[in-house]
Amino acid sequence: MSQKQDKNNLRDKDLMEEIAALCKRRGFVFSSSEIYGGFSAVYDYGPYGAELANNIKSAWWKAMVQENENIVGLDSSIFMHPKVWEASGHISGFSDPLAECKKCHTRVRVDHLLEEAGVFADEKMSEEEINKLLKENREKLKCPKCGDSDFSEAKEFNLLVQSNLGNFTGDWSKNPVYLRGETCQGIYVNFKNVLDSTRVKVPFGIAQIGKAFRNEITARQFIFRKREFEQMEMQFFVHSDEAMKSYEEWRERRWQFYIDLGIKKENLRWHKHENLVFYAKAAWDIEYKFPFGFKELEGVHYRADYDLKQHSKFSDKDLSYRDPQTNEKYIPHIVETSVGVDRTFLAVITDAITKEKLEDGSERTVMKFPKNLAPIKAAIFPLLKNKPELVKKAREIYENLKSQYMCEFDDNGNIGKRYRRQDEIGTPYCITVDFETLKDGTVTVRDRDTMKQERVKAEGLKTWLSEKLNS
Ligand code: ATP
């Protein structure tokens, strides 16, 4: 039997380091281009990380698209017409004021700097007002790198990442193309296409999962803030009279999504935006308790008719909707739910990582992933690798199960070591073929969480596993 987990005894910093180290050691997350020294705030998902990220995306897609008759999927391009970003306000407004630490020259986002100092900066503040605030709170500021509080004045810095796509003249500063800074713009510009090509009627939603790019200044907190990241966004188009009700429904449903996903309730909370951007009517974030504190996981925002109006104006196309029953013509309002795959990944890992002291005094690290998110569902071992009858039977079982689930065959090292390896990547079941198997056709199945073992008929393993994984 295991003792009570002691994860909570780890200091927050230790927990973050433990997670990052395990993610690297066990092939979940690597620094990008590591052999060249890495590339700041860009990360790669390794073999188990890719599985986990895919499982997260599938769970979201199922909850948002598959299970909702009135939500359809989309996969729009990363490159878009540059005018999209003018219409969206990203070219003029998607900038964060930065201040530079005079001692170590680290550039820090001013809103983060002030937030850490317990001072609130309104998004609508001018550069002048921000600088006044910085000056007034000077002694409270703290550089995240060196701890100093002497900062330069704040300057605006655009977050959109530029590209030279399709520009053959060489001077691409004049007509820059951008890598999308958020996926939802692809949804807005396809609103009419979806309306004209499918049978959707307002209220309906369009959902998509895709990469987004931002020139983030503060490159820290592991995969929480990446420069290339992935978003899962759903835009729900609704009549203005119904919008607030729909907004409240979506707030509830998105909260429930995380509970259903298996995230611990005590690690989630709501955060209300008090100072809204001028067009928004309501904005709440779901925050998760990451090792560095409660931070935004998902935004659920009521954006009114701003987005479609802007794109109507900039494209000169009518993006209004005519109700087939009432004949009313209007620009639908939008309720948006927006979450990052990477932040969900980090939340799932933070929730799952557990250290346990065992009865024999040893320790194990186990990822208690919800079963549907576990990268590998079952590992199949022959007890001994030099006994061909055991290896043959174990291979047979592996071949049979792999068509249905991500499985792993492992004959390396003693069984205890193989269990530890699977614990660290969160595999719910380890199946061992031993000498008894050859006699009575049963295998040993060991449960990740309880470490209890039971004998199961090899013949019925597929059904047994399905029942267990879906329970
Ligand atoms: P923050 O204030 O933390 O920078 P944001 O308010 O700019 O986040 P949104 O523009 O609302 O974020 O993006 C929606 C979601 O996309 C966020 O809730 C988050 O999960 C994810 N996201 C945003 N920026 C990043 C990033 N740099 N790295 C990873 N995920 C991100």
Side-chain angles (χ1 to χ4, degrees):
M1 266 297 290
S2 63
Q3 306 281 300
K4 205 175 151 2
Q5 54 171 277
D6 66 355
K7 169 161 88 177
N8 296 338
N9 296 341
L10 287 173
R11 283 186 307 120
D12 293 344
K13 190 164 165 276
D14 294 343
L15 179 59
M16 195 58 244
E17 278 168 12
E18 176 102 15
I19 288 172
L22 187 138
C23 279
K24 182 176 175 200
R25 184 161 40 89
R26 298 314 320 273
F28 281 93
V29 182
F30 305 131
S31 286
S32 160
S33 333
E34 204 182 304
I35 57 168
Y36 290 98
F39 197 52
S40 187
V42 188
Y43 291 90
D44 298 340
Y45 286 121
Y48 297 123
E51 292 298 331
L52 177 56
N54 277 342
N55 293 342
I56 288 170
K57 287 186 264 184
S58 299
W60 186 87
W61 195 265
K62 181 164 180 278
M64 301 303 276
V65 182
Q66 189 180 326
E67 292 178 355
N68 288 294
E69 216 178 330
N70 61 353
I71 298 184
V72 291
L74 181 79
D75 187 2
S76 71
S77 295
I78 285 168
F79 287 115
M80 300 172 81
H81 196 290
K83 265 195 149 178
V84 168
W85 304 106
E86 271 176 54
S88 70
H90 282 77
I91 288 174
S92 57
F94 197 49
S95 52
D96 283 326
L98 298 184
E100 192 173 300
C101 169
K102 286 191 179 164
K103 195 171 164 202
C104 73
H105 304 292
T106 299
R107 287 187 187 173
V108 188
R109 258 171 71 170
V110 172
D111 57 337
H112 291 170
L113 197 60
L114 289 167
E115 190 185 311
E116 294 289 326
V119 182
F120 183 77
D122 188 330
E123 282 183 30
K124 286 172 270 184
M125 278 181 169
S126 66
E127 212 169 274
E128 206 175 302
E129 288 167 318
I130 293 257
N131 276 321
K132 193 163 163 264
L133 212 56
L134 274 182
K135 230 185 216 160
E136 283 167 6
N137 294 284
R138 200 180 149 224
E139 68 287 357
K140 289 194 217 153
L141 307 179
K142 199 167 159 224
C143 171
K145 195 152 177 210
C146 72
D148 206 69
S149 46
D150 198 7
F151 279 85
S152 70
E153 290 213 324
K155 283 207 169 55
E156 299 268 318
F157 180 88
N158 197 287
L159 286 178
L160 278 184
V161 177
Q162 288 189 15
S163 157
N164 67 344
L165 182 85
N167 184 317
F168 305 104
T169 63
D171 183 7
W172 46 283
S173 57
K174 281 198 189 122
N175 296 301
V177 171
Y178 301 94
L179 302 186
R180 65 182 175 201
E182 57 186 23
T183 54
C184 56
Q185 297 302 327
I187 296 181
Y188 306 143
V189 300
N190 276 298
F191 167 74
K192 211 169 155 21
N193 284 337
V194 172
L195 208 56
D196 293 346
S197 61
T198 67
R199 292 174 48 237
V200 290
K201 287 195 186 74
V202 171
F204 76 96
I206 303 179
Q208 89 162 324
I209 299 177
K211 287 276 175 95
F213 302 81
R214 293 182 192 176
N215 242 327
E216 296 282 6
I217 314 309
T218 12
R220 56 195 169 112
Q221 296 163 336
F222 196 38
I223 55 170
F224 177 83
R225 191 172 300 286
K226 293 165 79 186
R227 293 191 170 128
E228 174 181 342
F229 58 102
E230 200 160 19
Q231 291 185 311
M232 304 186 278
E233 299 200 295
M234 192 280 298
Q235 309 292 314
F236 202 72
F237 302 92
V238 62
H239 189 285
S240 60
D241 291 352
E242 301 292 320
M244 213 49 213
K245 188 167 146 261
S246 168
Y247 177 70
E248 288 307 329
E249 273 169 23
W250 277 110
R251 249 174 27 96
E252 229 168 81
R253 292 187 59 183
R254 292 307 302 156
W255 177 269
Q256 193 56 38
F257 171 78
Y258 295 104
I259 304 298
D260 294 346
L261 203 61
I263 299 282
K264 296 186 188 99
K265 206 170 168 182
E266 65 268 26
N267 289 338
L268 293 168
R269 74 174 187 198
W270 280 108
H271 167 76
K272 184 179 184 202
H273 289 231
E274 295 296 347
N275 290 279
L276 301 172
V277 278
F278 67 95
Y279 54 82
K281 296 266 195 265
W284 290 75
D285 292 338
I286 296 177
E287 294 187 336
Y288 178 79
K289 194 178 178 202
F290 291 100
F292 35 83
F294 272 103
K295 297 268 178 219
E296 175 175 342
L297 173 62
E298 161 156 354
V300 186
H301 304 150
Y302 171 20
R303 302 174 59 95
D305 55 3
Y306 177 74
D307 306 287
L308 290 182
K309 264 196 176 150
Q310 283 293 99
H311 285 298
S312 274
K313 190 169 129 199
F314 278 76
S315 67
D316 211 14
K317 298 278 174 335
D318 181 9
L319 297 183
S320 58
Y321 172 78
R322 186 181 290 281
D323 188 298
Q325 245 131 37
T326 62
N327 225 16
E328 185 190 356
K329 198 171 169 221
Y330 59 92
I331 297 261
H333 280 217
I334 290 176
V335 171
E336 149 183 276
T337 77
S338 171
V339 54
V341 173
D342 314 276
R343 288 190 190 177
T344 313
F345 186 110
L346 188 55
V348 167
I349 294 240
T350 308
D351 240 49
I353 194 168
T354 310
K355 279 188 157 252
E356 289 179 344
K357 277 230 153 53
L358 306 180
E359 264 180 358
D360 64 2
S362 64
E363 219 180 51
R364 74 163 182 159
T365 302
V366 50
M367 284 288 189
K368 295 194 169 177
F369 290 131
K371 289 174 196 167
N372 64 328
L373 298 185
I376 304 294
K377 308 295 187 218
I380 297 99
F381 312 150
L383 181 66
L384 298 168
K385 83 182 206 186
N386 56 0
K387 294 282 173 216
E389 325 84 275
L390 300 184
V391 175
K392 186 169 168 259
K393 184 70 196 165
R395 276 244 155 247
E396 222 176 273
I397 293 175
Y398 167 73
E399 293 296 332
N400 179 251
L401 293 180
K402 78 174 190 192
S403 61
Q404 206 148 340
Y405 298 109
M406 273 308 294
C407 292
E408 227 172 50
F409 178 87
D410 186 4
D411 60 2
N412 199 10
N414 68 41
I415 289 285
K417 271 205 187 121
R418 287 183 246 173
Y419 282 158
R420 291 297 101 84
R421 268 205 297 273
Q422 296 299 331
D423 283 346
E424 277 197 332
I425 59 164
T427 305
Y429 298 104
C430 290
I431 299 164
T432 306
V433 171
D434 50 26
F435 292 105
E436 254 180 277
T437 314
L438 304 178
K439 278 189 240 151
D440 65 5
T442 63
V443 291
T444 304
V445 184
R446 181 247 197 198
D447 182 290
R448 176 194 69 194
D449 299 341
T450 63
M451 294 193 290
K452 288 218 172 87
Q453 302 186 1
E454 63 177 297
R455 302 288 309 180
V456 176
K457 275 251 168 250
E459 240 176 42
L461 259 180
K462 222 178 203 171
T463 320
W464 183 92
L465 200 57
S466 292
E467 276 167 15
K468 287 283 181 181
L469 290 172
N470 295 319
S471 67

